[in-house]
């Protein structure tokens, strides 16, 4: 079973009796601990005091080190971490992190850049294709579309997944075959 990961970026100052103060930044929190990043050379098993902005001073033990990332377990165990989790989740929501889907397919710019967009209401309007992949499409549009709204791009059903200036990114409800994505494709 994997833990739910909450991304939250907060500055931290950490130290112990054997090392000078060093700066770190939180990356995320799970039931397994708090992941931070720092340029300091650290070792698993090391005890630290970390003062994390908006959270407070915590006594922690490093449980894992990977490059510049390190995971700490808060002294007091899971009950203490669970108590802190509400604070971290509230701060994560305030930072408005939305998880960007990981791109699993290459993107192309098709030769045919005009597409007809159809809303569930039947209203149609033109869109300009910026790029397309087997899993989705980026379009410039003049209409305001809601996140999660179902649209049709040509004959392909898609769900609006993100907004950017003057456009949207939409995920196809049924991905295309990767071989079907090429410069001469039409939607």
């Amino acid at each position: 079973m994997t833990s739910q990961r909450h991304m939250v970026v907060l500055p931290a100052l950490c130290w112990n009796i054997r090392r000078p103060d060093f700066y770190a930044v939180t990356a995320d929190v799970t039931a397994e601990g708090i992941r931070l990043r720092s340029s300091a050379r650290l070792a698993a098993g090391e005890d630290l005091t970390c003062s994390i902005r908006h959270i407070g001073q915590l006594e922690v033990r490093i449980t894992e080190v990977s490059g510049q990332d390190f995971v700490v377990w808060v002294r007091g165990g899971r009950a203490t971490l669970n108590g802190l989790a509400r604070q971290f989740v509230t701060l994560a929501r305030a930072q408005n992190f939305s998880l960007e889907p990981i791109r699993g397919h290459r993107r192309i710019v098709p030769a045919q850049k005009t597409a007809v967009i159809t809303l569930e209401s039947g209203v149609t309007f033109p869109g300009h294709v910026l790029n397309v992949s087997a899993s989705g499409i980026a379009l410039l549009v003049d209409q305001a579309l809601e996140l999660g709204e179902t649209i049709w791009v040509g004959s392909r059903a898609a769900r609006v997944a993100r907004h950017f200036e003057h456009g949207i990114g939409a995920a196809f409800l049924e991905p295309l075959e990767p071989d079907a994505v090429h410069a001469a494709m039409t939607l």
Side-chain angles (χ1 to χ4, degrees):
M1 181 173 144
T2 59
S3 298
Q4 189 169 7
R5 184 173 305 280
H6 297 280
M7 293 175 34
V8 61
V9 178
L10 301 169
L13 180 64
C14 300
W15 66 90
N16 68 23
I17 199 159
R18 291 176 299 285
R19 74 165 55 247
D21 299 358
F22 65 93
Y23 290 100
V25 63
T26 63
D28 57 55
V29 63
T30 69
E32 281 69 50
I34 304 165
R35 182 174 309 276
L36 297 104
R37 291 192 175 109
S38 177
S39 60
R41 292 183 182 262
L42 303 166
E46 204 173 336
D47 292 323
L48 298 171
T49 301
C50 290
S51 179
I52 302 173
R53 183 172 293 160
H54 304 299
I55 298 295
Q57 188 167 305
L58 304 174
E59 299 298 322
V60 301
R61 173 166 283 166
I62 299 174
T63 59
E64 178 185 331
V65 176
S66 176
Q68 292 186 325
D69 288 4
F70 63 103
V71 177
V72 298
W73 181 253
V74 178
R75 295 213 179 226
R78 190 173 300 271
T80 301
L81 186 60
N82 286 342
L84 292 169
R86 281 186 289 282
Q87 288 177 272
F88 276 105
V89 169
T90 299
L91 292 166
R93 286 184 181 140
Q95 290 181 347
N96 198 23
F97 278 118
S98 57
L99 296 178
E100 243 343 271
I102 297 171
R103 295 191 190 279
H105 301 100
R106 69 181 178 86
R107 291 179 282 171
I108 61 105
V109 178
Q112 176 60 42
K113 292 181 181 62
T114 302
V116 174
I117 312 302
T118 306
L119 304 180
E120 286 183 311
S121 66
V123 172
T124 64
F125 56 90
H128 178 83
V129 179
L130 295 174
N131 62 59
V132 66
S133 72
S135 58
I137 190 165
L139 297 158
L140 293 177
V141 294
D142 290 333
Q143 298 282 331
L145 301 172
E146 297 293 321
L147 288 178
E149 183 175 355
T150 300
I151 61 172
W152 283 261
V153 181
S155 62
R156 304 293 306 183
R159 182 159 287 118
V160 177
R162 66 184 180 97
H163 291 119
F164 54 87
E165 191 172 349
H166 304 296
I168 61 155
F172 293 128
L173 297 185
E174 290 184 31
L176 301 168
E177 289 297 321
D179 293 345
V181 179
H182 51 80
M185 72 182 294
T186 57
L187 293 164

